[in-house]
Amino acid sequence: ELSTLIDQSIKLRDEPIFAAEDYHLPRLNLAEIDPQVNEIPYKVEESPELTLVSSPQVTGGINYVSLQFDLSVIDPEDLPYASLLAKLLGNIDTEAYDKRQLEKAAFMYTGGIGFGVSNAQNRVTGSYDARFEVYSSALGENVPRMLDLLREICLNSSFADHKWIGDQIKAL
């Protein structure tokens, strides 16, 4: 019985179950692609402090938030520090949470919290504008908690642990 099992295993290993050439990704030709771009509805609300752009979409109960901060107020030679800030935020203590508690709360109440620097094309001027982004997602009932966490991280992060921050910079 053992020798039969060994023989079957060797046969399975040596003989493919299917030939790779029998499988391929489907291809579309250009005539099959609709050239019309689907418009995504959105609403813009402006105030002196901010511009809010919202877009009602079917998301299966998940709410997405993206905060973007214009980096044109920063000297170009200082832009690399924005990338460093993006790597540190969410990984350092805040007034209300130490970094481990913050990680646990983000895991429990959100689909993740992220930070980054990006370039966005200005639709009016055509130029590219550097932006600092904060993004997250959460189920509907967790949106208030997600927004509290984003507020805490953005406004109350502590840079007092110089040793830990130095270690993180060295690891980059």
Side-chain angles (χ1 to χ4, degrees):
E1 185 175 293
L2 180 60
S3 64
T4 303
L5 186 59
I6 292 171
D7 291 342
Q8 289 174 343
S9 296
I10 291 171
K11 185 177 179 182
L12 284 173
R13 183 191 67 197
D14 294 340
E15 295 179 15
I17 297 170
F18 62 89
E21 60 271 5
D22 292 340
Y23 296 89
H24 61 277
L25 293 174
R27 295 182 185 205
L28 297 174
N29 64 43
L30 202 51
E32 294 175 292
I33 300 172
D34 185 358
Q36 194 66 28
V37 175
N38 292 335
E39 290 291 324
I40 298 175
Y42 64 93
K43 181 172 71 171
V44 177
E45 298 175 47
E46 296 201 34
S47 73
E49 297 85 25
L50 62 93
T51 301
L52 175 65
V53 181
S54 60
S55 178
Q57 300 290 320
V58 177
T59 62
I62 301 172
N63 294 271
Y64 296 90
V65 172
S66 173
L67 308 173
Q68 298 186 10
F69 301 89
D70 183 6
L71 293 179
S72 66
V73 297
I74 296 176
D75 291 329
E77 63 269 12
D78 292 333
L79 282 176
Y81 295 110
S83 293
L84 176 59
L85 179 64
K87 292 191 182 314
L88 292 175
L89 286 178
N91 294 308
I92 57 177
D93 298 344
T94 69
E95 288 178 9
Y97 299 92
D98 68 33
K99 56 186 148 289
R100 284 173 189 73
Q101 293 170 324
L102 187 61
E103 180 182 27
K104 183 177 177 182
F107 181 76
M108 285 181 62
Y109 299 108
T110 76
I113 297 175
F115 305 88
V117 176
S118 68
N119 290 310
Q121 187 172 22
N122 184 313
R123 289 185 177 198
V124 176
T125 66
S127 66
Y128 285 87
D129 302 323
R131 301 196 182 266
F132 188 87
E133 291 184 298
V134 180
Y135 45 90
S136 188
S137 62
L139 293 172
E141 66 268 14
N142 292 329
V143 168
R145 196 69 186 260
M146 173 188 66
L147 295 175
D148 287 343
L149 288 168
L150 293 178
R151 183 181 301 107
E152 178 68 19
I153 294 168
C154 291
L155 300 179
N156 298 320
S157 286
S158 170
F159 298 90
D161 190 348
H162 297 166
K163 181 183 177 336
W164 192 87
I165 291 173
D167 291 343
Q168 298 311 300
I169 293 171
K170 287 176 190 174
L172 296 177

